[in-house]
């Protein structure tokens, strides 16, 4: 009896949710979750409704009413006429539900690093970080250890756009046309991977002054316990204390670079240091292909060294460059 009732509920639960939505009622908790059949089954099983005889769809609805899992004032039936609904009403809700399901699946798309896929939608980067460390320990990231500590000056732009003085857009830890079409979770993950690479690059180049405390952005909490970091500083890493630290803002892309965005706090920090070379950009390219990763240190777009070497695009704080 129980297996027959499970089959009935499995085929019915999603349809009941569609029916209730089409009738304009909010979903009760038993039908509002991601797996309504499981929720309904658990509640009916706890009430002892599944063990004695097979339940018809109308009886399942009756049990939902008895358990307080049916909308108040809505007829306890699957009969469309009694709900004053047409099949078109159900189709409309079904189509919306299917679109929502597809959107959710898209948002849950993983990222692939070195041919292995990692789920990043949940925000748990532990398996991803473990894999990055494994590849680094194997010596398969030559760009992390061999890139020299010196500026890479972009070519002078012969028709550079006007350099803005105030921020209007939020920057991101990624850049380049190869990053189009990514979900928000994938973009965040790429930003994290870029900062993870940058952390190890900085540790290699500043062995006496760089450690995990120098990673000051919000991405720090994905790799280390302790303070969660601060994304309002305008840079991701700080090396040295006192009045003259070096500050590094990281921009990462799964492609070969050529474009990045700055956010309000990043612009403010960069403009505060136009008279020196202490605010710097680290461009991390090919972040999802460890053997191809490259890190280049670019100058402050607002500083003397970087002025005229970037082109502003799109009216926002998006810059392009050529190496």
């Amino acid at each position: 009896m129980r297996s027959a009732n499970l089959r009935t509920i499995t085929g019915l639960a999603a349809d009941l949710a569609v029916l209730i939505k089409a009738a304009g009622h909010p979903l009760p908790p038993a039908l509002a979750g991601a797996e309504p059949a499981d929720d309904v089954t658990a509640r009916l099983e706890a009430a002892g409704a599944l063990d004695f005889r097979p339940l018809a769809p109308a009886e399942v609805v009756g049990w939902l009413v008895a358990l307080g899992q049916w909308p108040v004032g809505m007829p306890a039936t699957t009969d469309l006429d009694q709900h004053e609904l047409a099949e078109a009403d159900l189709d409309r809700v079904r189509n919306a539900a299917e679109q929502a399901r597809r959107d959710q699946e898209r948002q849950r798309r993983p990222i692939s690093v070195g041919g292995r896929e990692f789920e990043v939608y949940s925000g748990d980067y532990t398996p991803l970080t473990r894999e990055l460390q494994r590849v680094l320990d194997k010596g398969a990231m030559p760009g992390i250890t061999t890139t020299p500590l010196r500026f890479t000056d972009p070519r002078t732009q012969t028709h550079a756009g006007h350099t803005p003085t105030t921020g209007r857009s939020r920057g991101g830890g990624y850049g380049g046309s190869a990053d189009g079409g990514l979900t928000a979770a994938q973009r965040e993950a790429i930003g994290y991977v870029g900062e993870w690479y940058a952390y190890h690059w900085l540790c290699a180049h500043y062995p006496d002054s760089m450690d995990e405390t120098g990673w000051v952005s919000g991405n720090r909490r994905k790799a280390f316990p302790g303070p969660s970091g601060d994304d309002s500083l305008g840079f991701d890493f700080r090396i040295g204390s006192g009045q003259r630290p070096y500050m590094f803002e990281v921009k990462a892309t799964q492609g070969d670079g050529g474009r990045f965005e700055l956010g309000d706090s990043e612009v403010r920090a960069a403009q505060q240091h136009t008279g020196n070379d202490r605010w710097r950009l680290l461009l991390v390219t090919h972040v999802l292909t460890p053997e191809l990763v490259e890190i280049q240190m670019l100058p402050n777009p607002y500083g003397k060294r970087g002025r005229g070497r970037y082109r502003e695009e799109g009216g926002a704080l998006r810059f392009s460059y050529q190496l």
Side-chain angles (χ1 to χ4, degrees):
M1 296 299 178
R2 186 178 183 278
S3 60
N5 284 330
L6 293 182
R7 288 193 296 272
T8 298
I9 294 171
T10 300
L12 182 64
D15 288 341
L16 291 178
V18 169
L19 177 65
I20 292 170
K21 284 184 177 180
H25 292 276
L27 290 177
L31 294 167
E35 300 293 341
D38 292 344
D39 291 344
V40 171
T41 297
R43 291 173 188 271
L44 268 62
E45 190 167 41
L50 304 183
D51 298 330
F52 302 107
R53 62 189 179 85
L55 297 176
E59 291 174 303
V60 174
V61 173
W63 272 104
L64 291 175
V65 173
L67 296 172
Q69 298 298 317
W70 192 257
V72 176
M74 181 174 175
T77 177
T78 57
D79 187 341
L80 298 188
D81 291 337
Q82 291 196 38
H83 294 293
E84 298 182 353
L85 295 173
E87 192 65 37
D89 296 308
L90 298 185
D91 287 342
R92 173 179 52 80
V93 176
R94 286 193 187 102
N95 291 339
E98 176 62 18
Q99 184 60 50
R101 184 190 65 78
R102 290 176 182 173
D103 290 343
Q104 187 177 60
E105 285 184 356
R106 179 180 179 276
Q107 289 302 317
R108 292 180 179 275
R109 285 190 333 212
I111 64 169
S112 177
V113 177
R116 291 187 58 192
E117 288 192 344
F118 295 89
E119 184 274 319
V120 294
Y121 181 78
S122 68
D124 180 6
Y125 289 19
T126 304
L128 172 60
T129 303
R130 189 180 298 120
E131 174 65 10
L132 293 173
Q133 188 66 54
R134 185 191 70 80
V135 176
L136 179 64
D137 293 342
K138 224 173 79 172
M141 295 181 181
I144 302 298
T145 56
T146 61
T147 309
L149 179 64
R150 63 167 181 255
F151 281 106
T152 299
D153 291 317
R155 297 183 208 168
T156 301
Q157 299 286 321
T158 56
H159 299 289
H162 172 64
T163 301
T165 57
T166 58
R168 294 189 301 276
S169 68
R170 185 182 176 206
Y174 55 90
S177 58
D179 298 318
L182 295 172
T183 68
Q186 287 174 318
R187 287 180 182 275
E188 183 176 350
I190 285 175
Y192 166 73
V193 174
E195 289 186 31
W196 191 91
Y197 289 140
Y199 168 72
H200 289 277
W201 186 86
L202 290 167
C203 286
H205 287 294
Y206 296 94
D208 298 327
S209 53
M210 179 63 191
D211 59 26
E212 65 186 68
T213 63
W215 192 346
V216 296
S217 76
N219 275 326
R220 180 194 184 284
R221 70 183 182 274
K222 299 180 177 71
F224 297 108
S228 59
D230 186 352
D231 286 327
S232 67
L233 297 174
F235 48 88
D236 300 312
F237 295 91
R238 177 171 48 213
I239 297 179
S241 56
Q243 300 298 313
R244 299 183 63 81
Y246 289 112
M247 294 150 284
F248 293 87
E249 171 61 27
V250 179
K251 298 299 178 184
T253 174
Q254 62 180 332
D256 55 7
R259 184 178 295 110
F260 61 88
E261 294 182 17
L262 295 181
D264 294 349
S265 63
E266 294 154 12
V267 169
R268 287 193 297 270
Q271 290 178 337
Q272 287 171 3
H273 297 281
T274 55
N276 56 62
D277 286 329
R278 289 188 290 113
W279 189 96
R280 304 167 175 189
L281 283 166
L282 288 183
L283 272 296
V284 187
T285 58
H286 304 287
V287 295
L288 302 185
T289 312
E291 65 273 16
L292 298 180
V293 169
E294 290 186 356
I295 298 180
Q296 293 164 322
M297 186 170 69
L298 272 59
N300 185 341
Y302 300 95
K304 181 178 179 180
R305 185 179 191 124
R307 203 166 295 138
R309 295 184 179 274
Y310 303 91
R311 187 190 306 277
E312 182 190 357
E313 295 186 350
L317 301 183
R318 182 180 295 118
F319 296 88
S320 62
Y321 61 93
Q322 293 181 330
L323 300 180

